[in-house]
Amino acid sequence: MKIILTQEVSGLGTPGDIVEVKNGYGRNYLLPQGFAIQWTKGAEKQVVVIKRAREAREIRDLGQANEVKGQLAGLKVTLKARSGNGGRLFGSITPAEIVDAVKTAGGPALDRRRLELPGHIKTTGSYTVQVKLHPEVTATFPVNVVAAK
């Protein structure tokens, strides 16, 4: 089955890529979840629009990725969350909350889909978060989760 990806799918490709997948994987997972659209000649024209949108938010080159990595290295990100006894949070910290905290701390704008959390963050404490800025550049930065008063 030939499909066009509309979102990044790890191990498969990035938005705008035309890939060949097994029928069941495409029909039962990628298409219903909105990760891809069925390939047609008309849909192939939409690839240009998808790629243009990706380029607008993508980090331009290796030099810019290293620059953003340098900005993240000197950043102190603190996140306040409601917690109960023993530092256990009500819910968990999401990648979107971390991206907002990085912006608040004066850091660069990041794509939440590129964050790699060290498991579910459900307690207060210090965590190390990775972000894949470029295929060759991965940055890490500390996130400190504290109890909100």
Side-chain angles (χ1 to χ4, degrees):
M1 169 181 257
K2 211 172 187 185
I3 59 168
I4 300 171
L5 296 177
T6 57
Q7 294 183 16
E8 184 171 342
V9 179
S10 62
L12 198 55
T14 57
D17 289 349
I18 299 171
V19 293
E20 187 78 32
V21 295
K22 295 203 177 208
N23 290 338
Y25 183 52
R27 194 173 46 243
N28 297 328
Y29 178 67
L30 295 174
L31 295 175
Q33 295 292 323
F35 294 142
I37 57 175
Q38 184 78 34
W39 178 88
T40 61
K41 288 182 182 179
E44 192 167 0
K45 293 177 184 173
Q46 291 179 339
V47 170
V48 176
V49 175
I50 293 170
K51 286 189 177 186
R52 198 175 311 141
R54 178 179 68 187
E55 289 171 2
R57 71 171 183 267
E58 183 123 345
I59 292 179
R60 299 282 180 243
D61 59 0
L62 188 61
Q64 186 183 6
N66 286 326
E67 184 180 308
V68 171
K69 182 179 179 179
Q71 291 175 352
L72 288 173
L75 211 59
K76 296 201 184 305
V77 180
T78 303
L79 213 69
K80 292 183 180 177
R82 291 181 48 219
S83 66
N85 295 338
R88 186 165 170 82
L89 301 181
F90 297 125
S92 63
I93 302 297
T94 64
E97 291 173 328
I98 293 174
V99 167
D100 290 341
V102 168
K103 274 188 185 174
T104 305
L110 300 173
D111 185 5
R112 65 176 172 77
R113 293 180 293 263
R114 298 206 181 265
L115 286 181
E116 296 174 9
L117 300 179
H120 297 287
I121 299 176
K122 292 188 174 195
T123 58
T124 58
S126 185
Y127 298 91
T128 303
V129 176
Q130 287 187 337
V131 60
K132 190 168 180 132
L133 299 170
H134 190 268
E136 301 168 11
V137 179
T138 302
T140 59
F141 60 94
V143 173
N144 191 20
V145 179
V146 295
K149 304 243 176 193

